[in-house]
Amino acid sequence: MALIIEDGSIVANANSFVTAVELAAYAALRGVTISGVTATQESLLILAMDYIKGRESNMKGHRVTQAQELPYPRYEVSYHGFYLASNTIPSQLKNAQIELAIQAGNSELLISETTTNLESFNVDGVYSESYFNGGAWSTVRTDKADAYLDVLMQNGNSYNILTRV
């Protein structure tokens, strides 16, 4: 598998904003241990991109073309009071993808199953299980990546809209 990097020029079949080299350099600067295998790094970046694609509906602006593979580049994206050029891949987006790739190395980003809240089980002759009250649930925390993504999301990724009346 090879990464095809989107650089803002609408690269055909692009599947990442970040290279494996950029992932490794970012992790090294922060003292984070990641796999040294390029193929593994690339897989983690693809998983991160899957997550980012799922967040596109909340992103500021609009795709530059209907045919582009990834959510960026975009136009009408305001960042710190200025509009980004429509051929820009923001560093915040790249950092978010890297943080998500690092997280994907340790946990799921997109959950496809639930936790059953198993409290205990016993195998003394007869198997039995007991569960915590409250039913099954799952959650994913992506706070590090969200710190970068929030500035690129509508309303700062907040569902609270303040309006003056």
Side-chain angles (χ1 to χ4, degrees):
M1 166 185 57
L3 293 177
I4 302 170
I5 306 302
E6 176 59 71
D7 60 6
S9 63
I10 320 279
V11 176
N13 301 312
N15 58 11
S16 181
F17 298 120
V18 179
T19 66
V21 171
E22 289 172 309
L23 168 61
Y26 180 101
L29 280 173
R30 289 158 179 80
V32 175
T33 303
I34 60 168
S35 170
V37 179
T38 301
T40 302
Q41 293 171 353
E42 291 177 347
S43 292
L44 294 174
L45 287 166
I46 296 296
L47 290 170
M49 186 52 61
D50 291 343
Y51 179 88
I52 290 171
K53 285 179 181 178
R55 302 285 308 275
E56 183 176 6
S57 65
N58 293 327
M59 289 181 177
K60 293 178 182 177
H62 309 279
R63 285 179 173 224
V64 173
T65 71
Q66 183 179 11
Q68 70 191 67
E69 293 292 326
L70 301 180
Y72 266 79
R74 298 176 86 74
Y75 66 95
E76 294 184 0
V77 176
S78 174
Y79 174 67
H80 291 306
F82 298 93
Y83 282 96
L84 297 177
S86 62
N87 63 347
T88 301
I89 304 300
S91 60
Q92 294 79 5
L93 184 61
K94 294 176 79 165
N95 289 345
Q97 185 183 1
I98 291 170
E99 284 291 350
L100 289 163
I102 290 168
Q103 183 174 342
N106 300 314
S107 67
E108 292 288 325
L109 294 177
L110 300 169
I111 294 178
S112 59
E113 61 184 45
T114 58
T115 304
T116 57
N117 289 335
L118 181 65
E119 179 178 18
S120 65
F121 67 93
N122 189 345
V123 189
D124 293 337
V126 177
Y127 184 80
S128 65
E129 296 178 345
S130 64
Y131 297 87
F132 291 107
N133 290 333
W137 60 277
S138 297
T139 186
V140 173
R141 299 281 313 247
T142 57
D143 297 342
K144 288 183 179 182
D146 290 344
Y148 290 114
L149 275 179
D150 283 352
V151 297
L152 302 173
M153 305 303 271
Q154 295 172 11
N155 241 6
N157 205 28
S158 172
Y159 294 106
N160 300 320
I161 300 173
L162 179 63
T163 57
R164 188 175 208 171
V165 221

